[in-house]
Structure formats: structure tokens, C-alpha cells
């Protein structure tokens, strides 16, 4: 168990709809990252938040948006969904404030599998 | 340009044998970190091993070792004594820069199938 919680685990929706994916990071982690993994492909970085502020942006579509709340949980909003948005969406976290040095590995949730029909 | 290149889409290995997964990377940073993750068919991402750019010795974690060749910009993963449970997709990833709190860039992955 990585300590990162993602909901929902599975989601089926129709084109044109909007969905929200939720992520709770490991306790104490300040950074949250969102990645998209389409079928048989690698992980594409979407966006990173650090302590509530956007830190880095990747190949995130304008139809997608994210935010990190004061309690450090994050949401990824996907709107005007298209068939090509079907993918496994991962949230990961890192950066504990405990002061213990780490290698910077990301701790991943189990992912939210989105199917757009 | 791709930051991480994994040229082997799929590999087969006999149980109890060793397998090497190739990974090359591209960065102009002096400080960076290299990671390997395992993704079984269930989908979760499992961290396996880490190598820092300034680490002089190759990283090892149990049956996993990382063959780090800095001048060639390669970070190959070696899995020794393969087990059936090692069948999975394996991703090489890199974090650039000095901060431990930055995104990872992932390669396309290599699927490993262990045969009994």
C-alpha cells in the first residue's frame, strides 16, 4: 500500500461529459502529480501541484484542469470528454516534510480507469 | 526529444534466469536521478530501484540491480533469478535537477514475460 488513495477506481461515461478524479496523497507529502497512461503506452505527465500551487505543467489538454486543496488532496477535472481520453489516470505524491531524506521516488495510487463510450 | 528510451517492447525470459532491460536517457543536467518501476497486470506502479547521478556504485535492491554507465547515459535494469511473478511491464524514469521534488519522465516501457 503506497498510501496514495485515488477515487473512483473505475469510471465509465459518455463523450461530451465531465468527470472529476480525486487523489489523497501520502500523509505529509506536499507534491501531487497527475499522469495519464493510455492503452499500452507509457506514463504521460500532466501536471504537478506543490502545497496548493501549480509547480509544473506537462501535456495537459485545455479541457483538463486540476487543483490542490488546503488539506493537500487534489482533483483532476476532465471535461468535454472524447473517446481518446479513455486511459488510466494516476496520481502520485512525494516530498514529505518530515526532513528524512529520500530519493525522490513517486508513490503512486492504484489509478482511476476512465472509459469514454 | 525523448528523455528516456526503452528500445525493447517485449522480452521473454526463462524462470530462474537473469534478464537485462535497457534504458538510455538524455539530459544536460549534472544532477539527476534514475528510477525503475514495475507495473503488473493489475495496474499499480511499484518502485523498484533508484540511482543518483553522483552515486559511484551501482544500486542494488534484492534481485534488482542497476547497471549505470554515466558516459553512455544508460541505466539498465538487471533482474536476477527471474520468477513467474516478475512478469510485468517495467518502466525506466528520470528526474532532472537537484530537487527531490520534481516530476519523473517515463520511458515507453518493456513487457517482461517469465516462462516456467
Amino acid at each position: 500500500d503506497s498510501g496514495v488513495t485515488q477515487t473512483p477506481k473505475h469510471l465509465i461515461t459518455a463523450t461530451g461529459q465531465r468527470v472529476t478524479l480525486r487523489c489523497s496523497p501520502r500523509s505529509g507529502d506536499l507534491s501531487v502529480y497527475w499522469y495519464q497512461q493510455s492503452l499500452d503506452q507509457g506514463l504521460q505527465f500532466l501536471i504537478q501541484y506543490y502545497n496548493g500551487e501549480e509547480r509544473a505543467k506537462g501535456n495537459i489538454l485545455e479541457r483538463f484542469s486540476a487543483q490542490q486543496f488546503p488539506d493537500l488532496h487534489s482533483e483532476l477535472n476532465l471535461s468535454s470528454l472524447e473517446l481518446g481520453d479513455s486511459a488510466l489516470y494516476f496520481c502520485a505524491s512525494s516530498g514529505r516534510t518530515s526532513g528524512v531524506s529520500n530519493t525522490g521516488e513517486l508513490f503512486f495510487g492504484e489509478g482511476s480507469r476512465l472509459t469514454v463510450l | 526529444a525523448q528523455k528516456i528510451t526503452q528500445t525493447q517492447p517485449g522480452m521473454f525470459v526463462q524462470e530462474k534466469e537473469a534478464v537485462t532491460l535497457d534504458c538510455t536517457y538524455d539530459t544536460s543536467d549534472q544532477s539527476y536521478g534514475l528510477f525503475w518501476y514495475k507495473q503488473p497486470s493489475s495496474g499499480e506502479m511499484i518502485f523498484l530501484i533508484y540511482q543518483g547521478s553522483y552515486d559511484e556504485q551501482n544500486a542494488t535492491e534484492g534481485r534488482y540491480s542497476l547497471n549505470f554507465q554515466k558516459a553512455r547515459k544508460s541505466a539498465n535494469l538487471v533482474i536476477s533469478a527471474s520468477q513467474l511473478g516478475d512478469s510485468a511491464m517495467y518502466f525506466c524514469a528520470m528526474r532532472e535537477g537537484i530537487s527531490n521534488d520534481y516530476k519523473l519522465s517515463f520511458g515507453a516501457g518493456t513487457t517482461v514475460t517469465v516462462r516456467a
Side-chain angles (χ1 to χ4, degrees):
Chain A
D1 183 2
S2 67
V4 179
T5 304
Q6 287 188 249
T7 57
K9 286 188 168 42
H10 299 275
L11 190 56
I12 301 174
T13 189
T15 54
Q17 295 298 304
R18 172 190 171 95
V19 298
T20 297
L21 310 181
R22 195 179 192 278
C23 170
S24 294
R26 286 190 320 158
S27 177
D29 280 356
L30 298 179
S31 273
V32 167
Y33 310 76
W34 287 97
Y35 285 85
Q36 178 193 55
Q37 184 181 29
S38 301
L39 191 63
D40 295 330
Q41 290 192 8
L43 281 77
Q44 300 297 317
F45 170 70
L46 295 178
I47 197 163
Q48 176 197 0
Y49 278 83
Y50 178 84
N51 203 19
E53 296 194 358
E54 182 183 304
R55 171 168 278 195
K57 211 166 187 176
N59 299 322
I60 188 167
L61 299 172
E62 285 192 11
R63 300 183 286 109
F64 296 0
S65 65
Q67 55 184 326
Q68 186 180 28
F69 295 87
D71 67 352
L72 300 178
H73 91 271
S74 177
E75 292 181 355
L76 178 67
N77 301 296
L78 314 176
S79 62
S80 302
L81 285 167
E82 302 175 359
L83 296 177
D85 298 328
S86 295
L88 185 56
Y89 291 84
F90 282 108
C91 169
S93 74
S94 73
R96 276 189 171 160
T97 58
S98 66
V100 175
S101 64
N102 62 74
T103 61
E105 75 263 29
L106 301 188
F107 295 86
F108 283 82
E110 293 185 346
S112 292
R113 187 169 296 280
L114 172 66
T115 302
V116 182
L117 300 176
Chain B
Q2 285 287 345
K3 290 185 179 290
I4 297 286
T5 302
Q6 294 180 254
T7 57
Q8 307 151 311
M11 297 186 71
F12 290 93
V13 60
Q14 205 64 30
E15 197 177 10
K16 299 180 186 177
E17 292 186 351
V19 61
T20 298
L21 308 183
D22 295 341
C23 173
T24 58
Y25 59 92
D26 181 26
T27 182
S28 57
D29 283 354
Q30 295 300 308
S31 179
Y32 53 89
L34 297 156
F35 303 78
W36 279 91
Y37 281 81
K38 172 184 178 182
Q39 186 180 38
S41 58
S42 50
E44 72 269 30
M45 294 290 289
I46 302 167
F47 167 70
L48 296 177
I49 197 167
Y50 165 83
Q51 180 85 41
S53 59
Y54 294 116
D55 294 342
E56 294 186 350
Q57 292 197 339
N58 287 342
T60 59
E61 288 287 347
R63 294 186 298 108
Y64 304 108
S65 61
L66 201 152
N67 184 2
F68 182 45
Q69 297 187 42
K70 195 169 183 177
R72 297 180 60 187
K73 292 190 175 178
S74 76
N76 299 339
L77 177 70
V78 180
I79 306 173
S80 61
S82 296
Q83 302 171 358
L84 295 179
D86 293 334
S87 294
M89 194 151 197
Y90 289 81
F91 291 99
C92 180
M94 176 175 64
R95 185 202 69 243
E96 295 176 278
I98 202 165
S99 170
N100 276 350
D101 192 27
Y102 195 61
K103 70 177 177 72
L104 301 188
S105 299
F106 285 82
T110 297
T111 301
V112 172
T113 304
V114 180
R115 290 170 164 159

